[in-house]
Amino acid sequence: MASDGKVEAYGSGISIDLKGKVALVTGSSSGLGMEMAKYLAKAGATVAIHYHSEKQQANNLAAEINSSGGKAAVFGGDVSNAQQVESIFASIDAQLGPLDILVNNAGIDGKRELCGDDNPEDWLRVISINLIGPYYCSREAVKRMKKKGSGVIVNITSVHEFLPWSGYTAYCSAKAGLSMFTKTLAQEVSDFGIRVVALAPGAIKTPINKDVWGNPDTYKDLLTKIAMPRMGETSDVAKAVTFLASDLASYITGTTLVVDGGMLLYPAFKHGG
Ligand code: BGC
């Protein structure tokens, strides 16, 4: 501490180096996943870009990363299908080598439907993609990471692992389930050098919620739900994922990092109670 009370800067700063690591980001052909793939590649990781239906966007992203000095390859498939997940991992083994970092990002909000007026198939689809998908991918990842004696799994949950959201019982149940999956798996694999963490984004501007931020009335309403005066950017989340995947987070496991600009802070209380 300097005499004027300021903290002195020293050294050349902290950097994240993921060189030599292979990282899979599920659902990285758009939105949050796309930005995560870019950040992990910038930090030096070789990135497996995964898509379900947006093949062209995934190829474009790989081309962008490869032409700017990074390393990326593309893998397609349905995360809610165990056989397809097995073959995605087998292809990654063959092309890039066994995985060091898994980001379970692929997910859907699903339709807004009130329980009882809903279609059970829609409910099951949300649970299949948002909860069973991360389970299938994690079990393949864990098999490989145990052999290496190291690895990191980052599960992208949501503020809705904590916050109920009317019309989205499937989504909230899947995200709360994924949070408990994170903790339980973290406990299971802690002796093998593997960390499992969750990251809960708030309202981040992506195609998933365009119907809300694309309309001035619902956008205004959304901003009242966030303590900070803005929606999140995909980079806000991608930076946090890169940190969690790195050794800077070496003692963090089985917990959730919330990246929500204060959505969980009951922002309405800013105006009295
Ligand atoms: C959902 C978004 C929503 C945000 C905040 C996220 O998990 O995917 O659609 O804007 O939560 O409610």
Side-chain angles (χ1 to χ4, degrees), residues 109 157-160 165 171 175 201-204 208-209 222 263:
D109 279 2
T157 58
S158 162
V159 284
H160 298 296
W165 188 17
Y171 187 78
K175 294 301 186 178
I204 314 296
I208 211 171
N209 47 20
L222 174 64
M263 199 171 213

Side-chain angles (χ1 to χ4, degrees), residues 31-33 35-36 39 204-206 232-239:
L32 281 178
E35 196 72 5
M36 291 170 193
Y39 266 77
I204 314 296
K205 210 172 202 179
T206 70
E233 301 292 336
T234 52
S235 59
D236 292 319
V237 176
K239 286 177 210 167

Side-chain angles (χ1 to χ4, degrees), residues 53 66 70 104 108 122 140 178 204 246:
S53 41
N66 287 320
N104 279 312
I108 56 168
D122 295 336
E140 290 306 317
L178 186 54
I204 314 296
S246 79

Side-chain angles (χ1 to χ4, degrees), residues 41-58:
K42 272 190 213 161
T46 297
V47 181
I49 296 165
H50 160 264
Y51 70 92
H52 177 243
S53 41
E54 299 160 329
K55 186 176 184 177
Q56 191 53 50
Q57 275 177 231

Side-chain angles (χ1 to χ4, degrees), residues 168-192:
Y168 292 93
T169 54
Y171 187 78
C172 296
S173 303
K175 294 301 186 178
L178 186 54
S179 167
M180 184 47 90
F181 175 70
T182 302
K183 293 182 207 179
T184 308
L185 183 62
Q187 193 189 63
E188 258 183 50
V189 298
S190 56
D191 288 339
F192 298 92

